[in-house]
Amino acid sequence: MHSIQLALWTVALLVAVALIFDFMNGFHDAANSIATVVSTGVLKPHQAVAFAAGFNVVAYFIFHLKVAATVGKGTIDPGIIDHYVVFGALVGAIGWNIVTWYYGIPSSSSHALIGGLVGSALAKSGWDALNVDGLAKTIAFIFVSPLLGFVLGSLFMLLVSWFFFRTPPSRVDRHFRRLQLVSASLYSLGHGGNDAQKTIGIIWMLLIATGYASVSADAPPTWVIAGCYVSMGLGTLFGGWRIVRTMGQRITRLKPVGGFCAETGGAITLFMASWLGIPVSTTHTITGAIVGVGATQKLSAVRWGVAGNIVWAWILTIPASAALAAAGWWLGQRLL
């Protein structure tokens, strides 16, 4: 009886840590949902975070759990998962999020979690523990999602410029200040639908590994799904202002029309990835879209040095979080 209680407390602790990661994901990635709408002046910061948080939670009622299934069963071998592996993965993801938040670098919480799972699995069982096919899709979308965001963002900007060619700038600005509320809500839906599911996936695999959920179940318990969406919404509500500044002001200067095009291109990319069940980076997606919008005006409108630093953070995220996770797995074996 004592050992069962200990296992329950261990599982409860890890679920709590996972929800903290989810909160940090919303906090860290709030910039993705609100940077454009804040930088264009359409909403004040406190209005924007409440707006984005609300749509993060609404995503719970819209999206299927394909991304959660990919994270839970398609990243590493489910047979090697135990509470040490999950603990190491969360340590790696949270650690890297803290580092990048402190320096204001918009890295990917999603890829930090994937890197955490990889590092923890490697520390326990070596290369055979990795699901190569599932990881290949995720790694491919490190390049596909920002490229698709870039193409769609620039395409929307070119179409809008052509359609409103003879319209006075003041009228264009007035129209798109309203339309940007629509595009921001769609992007926040996509953010909640893709990002919250990654934490759902890791809690689901923990519950299966510890016997608190059935491996044959089609979905995790409802409290897991609701808890993750609410945690992410609360994290977004608190916002990550260091990263908001980088995303909304330092890459390129945005007007409401540019913000609308970037958010719409990013939202389409996220909806498509969630439909395919692929965990993508909302950070990569919106950054590509913002760069695409800026590049349609003139190449010098994009601060390529800042964009280059962001790309380096993308490249480093998986190996850095994997290294932290391996250390976390070693530490977990001595603490848990």
Side-chain angles (χ1 to χ4, degrees):
M1 185 67 178
H2 178 70
S3 61
I4 294 174
Q5 290 178 336
L6 177 63
L8 180 60
W9 278 108
T10 302
V11 172
L13 174 64
L14 289 173
V15 169
V17 174
L19 292 176
I20 289 170
F21 167 77
D22 207 34
F23 176 89
M24 289 186 65
N25 193 345
F27 182 89
H28 190 275
D29 288 1
N32 306 334
S33 298
I34 67 171
T36 49
V37 80
V38 170
S39 65
T40 57
V42 171
L43 290 176
K44 292 182 172 61
H46 66 278
Q47 295 173 326
V49 290
F51 181 84
F55 281 100
N56 278 178
V57 176
V58 169
Y60 166 65
F61 302 100
I62 295 175
F63 289 94
H64 296 293
L65 297 174
K66 291 183 178 181
V67 174
T70 299
V71 173
K73 300 177 182 178
T75 305
I76 61 176
D77 178 7
I80 66 112
I81 295 168
D82 57 19
H83 56 291
Y84 299 122
V85 170
V86 172
F87 178 76
L90 291 171
V91 167
I94 290 172
W96 185 244
N97 267 0
I98 290 172
V99 170
T100 51
W101 168 80
Y102 181 80
Y103 288 103
I105 301 169
S107 68
S108 168
S109 296
S110 307
H111 292 145
L113 183 59
I114 297 298
L117 286 168
V118 167
S120 204
L122 286 174
K124 179 179 179 180
S125 301
W127 294 101
D128 291 339
L130 304 184
N131 184 322
V132 177
D133 290 340
L135 286 172
K137 292 178 184 178
T138 301
I139 292 171
F141 265 75
I142 291 177
F143 306 99
V144 171
S145 64
L147 182 61
L148 190 55
F150 178 94
V151 170
L152 290 173
S154 56
L155 180 62
F156 278 118
M157 192 67 191
L158 289 171
L159 287 173
V160 167
S161 298
W162 175 78
F163 192 77
F164 289 92
F165 179 70
R166 299 185 183 280
T167 307
S170 59
R171 185 179 298 176
V172 172
D173 187 76
R174 189 165 59 250
H175 287 323
F176 280 94
R177 287 180 71 85
R178 297 190 187 98
L179 286 173
Q180 205 184 349
L181 295 176
V182 177
S183 61
S185 66
L186 290 174
Y187 193 84
S188 294
L189 272 176
H191 174 240
N194 199 281
D195 268 20
Q197 288 197 38
K198 293 148 194 171
T199 309
I200 293 171
I202 200 167
I203 294 177
W204 191 6
M205 68 167 64
L206 171 67
L207 295 178
I208 290 172
T210 54
Y212 288 97
S214 171
V215 70
S216 61
D218 294 330
T222 303
W223 65 265
V224 174
I225 302 170
C228 288
Y229 275 107
V230 171
S231 293
M232 173 161 285
L234 288 173
T236 302
L237 194 60
F238 280 81
W241 303 116
R242 292 172 185 261
I243 299 171
V244 168
R245 182 171 176 270
T246 297
M247 294 292 287
Q249 299 174 16
R250 292 181 60 199
I251 297 175
T252 189
R253 294 287 176 179
L254 289 173
K255 293 182 178 179
V257 61
F260 169 83
C261 293
E263 288 160 353
T264 303
I268 291 172
T269 303
L270 292 181
F271 275 61
M272 186 183 305
S274 297
W275 178 68
L276 293 172
I278 299 173
V280 298
S281 167
T282 54
T283 308
H284 295 191
T285 303
I286 196 64
T287 301
I290 290 171
V291 170
V293 166
T296 58
Q297 301 167 54
K298 54 181 179 178
L299 291 177
S300 60
V302 178
R303 295 184 176 90
W304 295 102
V306 175
N309 290 338
I310 292 171
V311 170
W312 274 111
W314 294 354
I315 294 170
L316 290 173
T317 290
I318 288 181
S321 56
L324 289 171
W329 176 83
W330 179 86
L331 185 64
Q333 288 217 312
R334 283 147 183 80
L335 294 179
L336 297 178

